[in-house]
Every structure is written in C-alpha cells, then in structure tokens.
Amino acid sequence: MQTLIEHQTLPKRFQDEGLSVLFSPAADLGISYVEQLVGKSRQSHIQEFEGPEDIGTVQVPGRFRSIEDYQRWAASKERFMFLLINEHRLVGPGATPELGGISWFGSREHQHAPGRTVTFAMRNYAADVQHNWGQYSGRGLAAPFMQIAHQSARNIFAGEKLWLDLVAGNEASRKMCINAGYRELIRFDDDDHNGQTRVVMVNDTALLEG
C-alpha cells in the first residue's frame, strides 16, 4: 500500500515547495510512477553512474529498462521504495505528482560487507526541457530526502546494518553518504559490471532506534 509520510514531519523547504515523500512496497508502486522512473532512468547522470544496473547493457537487461523489467525486479524479492514527489507539478492523464527522486531498501547481503543485511540506493533526477521535467538534483534535496528515508526505514529494518555500493568516481554521492554516517569499507573491480570499480560503504547505526 502506498502511504504519504506525514507532511508536517518534512523539512519546511519541502512543505513550501510542495515536495512530499511517498512510501510503497516496490511491488505495489503505481504504474504512473513506474513509467516516470523508467523514463528518468535514461538521464545522462544516471546512465553515467548506474547505467549497467538501471537500464542494462547489450547483454543484460537493467532493472528499470522497461515497466516489465521493473515489475520483475520488484517481484524478485521484498523491497521498500521511498519516492520524492512534487505535488505542485502533475504529469500524465491521471495527473500524478512528478517524480523527483527514488530511494529503496531491501534485504540483501554483499560478499564485501559481511554482517550487513540491508542494502540502500537512491537517485535524484535532473530537469529535461523536452519532457517538461523539473530539477531535483544539485539542489540540496538529496541529503534531507536520504535522512527521511532512513528514519522511516527504522520501522521496517530496526537495528539491522546497512551497506551500499557506488561507482568509484561518483564523489558527490560518496561524500553525501559519509555525511549521513556511512564509511568506506572496500573498493573492488566488479566482474558483473565489466570490471567497473565499485566502492562499498556501510552504516551500522542508521537503523538504530533513538
């Protein structure tokens, strides 16, 4: 079931700009949001750092390449999505709020992050004049969005330890994660991503109560 996080708990800036955070199990996400996610996953800054996983390669389809690929990914294991949405900008026939960013948590282990059982990932999207998409990256929205998602995820994964991996060279995301309490654990060349160097980061306290 999709649920809006209580508006009064969001930063004042979010409230002033009509930004909300929507929670949904990945498998229950409305099709209008999935359509936006698929379209925005083709943005250049997303492709630069997350292309092999999000939109795939010639050999391997990505999780967000199409609506069907998203649905397969969402059904493959339990994941929980947080959507940054703009209720001042409505898109599509159903007048759905515009999608500004996504984050998700899911139970998953990583060979380079022993003892951590939950993974986290996040994307914020850029403006596109052709599609009349608004700007949500590079505006200081990612850090508070990340904090909101982590606070809410405590209700699902209380006390568990987090890991994430990102592309070496994605320095803005690495610094944001460090500011949020993550630390770099290891770098490795990932054979599943054509030898791409990945950075594994962990956070052992973000999901603790208090």
Side-chain angles (χ1 to χ4, degrees):
M1 177 177 19
Q2 297 180 175
T3 307
L4 276 174
I5 292 177
E6 292 184 12
H7 207 63
Q8 64 269 24
T9 66
L10 302 179
K12 185 176 184 300
R13 178 184 179 187
F14 279 42
Q15 298 181 43
D16 291 345
E17 296 187 24
L19 300 176
S20 297
V21 177
L22 181 71
F23 166 79
S24 176
D28 296 342
L29 189 61
I31 193 68
S32 56
Y33 287 121
V34 176
E35 289 174 339
Q36 292 188 65
L37 189 163
V38 168
K40 293 192 175 192
S41 293
R42 287 165 170 74
Q43 292 189 334
S44 59
H45 72 292
I46 303 294
Q47 290 191 45
E48 179 181 2
F49 294 119
E50 304 297 343
E53 290 193 283
D54 283 7
I55 62 169
T57 63
V58 173
Q59 297 82 12
V60 182
R63 56 194 162 200
F64 304 149
R65 182 183 64 173
S66 67
I67 293 173
E68 293 74 22
D69 287 316
Y70 171 86
Q71 291 172 334
R72 277 191 290 271
W73 173 80
S76 65
K77 63 175 63 176
E78 197 169 31
R79 297 179 177 90
F80 299 91
M81 308 284 290
F82 293 88
L83 279 63
L84 178 66
I85 59 174
N86 188 342
E87 298 187 86
H88 289 176
R89 293 175 61 92
L90 305 179
V91 300
T96 302
E98 183 177 64
L99 181 63
I102 61 168
S103 64
W104 72 87
F105 296 82
S107 296
R108 182 183 169 196
E109 297 183 6
H110 194 292
Q111 62 175 333
H112 294 298
R116 284 82 182 186
T117 55
V118 177
T119 186
F120 167 74
M122 190 172 85
R123 317 274 186 268
N124 271 35
Y125 301 117
D128 185 310
V129 175
Q130 179 182 355
H131 295 92
N132 193 31
W133 289 337
Q135 178 72 23
Y136 303 95
S137 63
R139 294 182 50 215
L141 298 172
F145 177 39
M146 184 177 185
Q147 182 180 23
I148 292 164
H150 279 71
Q151 288 173 342
S152 299
R154 291 175 191 161
N155 297 323
I156 308 167
F157 297 110
E160 298 195 50
K161 298 178 180 180
L162 287 162
W163 66 269
L164 59 83
D165 70 330
L166 47 83
V167 179
N170 189 354
E171 192 62 16
S173 292
R174 192 185 74 86
K175 288 181 178 178
M176 184 180 69
C177 289
I178 289 173
N179 290 337
Y182 285 81
R183 62 182 175 87
E184 184 175 326
L185 190 63
I186 193 172
R187 296 186 178 216
F188 71 102
D189 295 332
D190 189 354
D191 293 336
D192 291 335
H193 294 88
N194 299 319
Q196 182 184 67
T197 301
R198 308 284 293 188
V199 181
V200 176
M201 307 190 73
V202 297
N203 189 324
D204 295 342
T205 61
L207 299 181
L208 296 179
E209 296 292 341

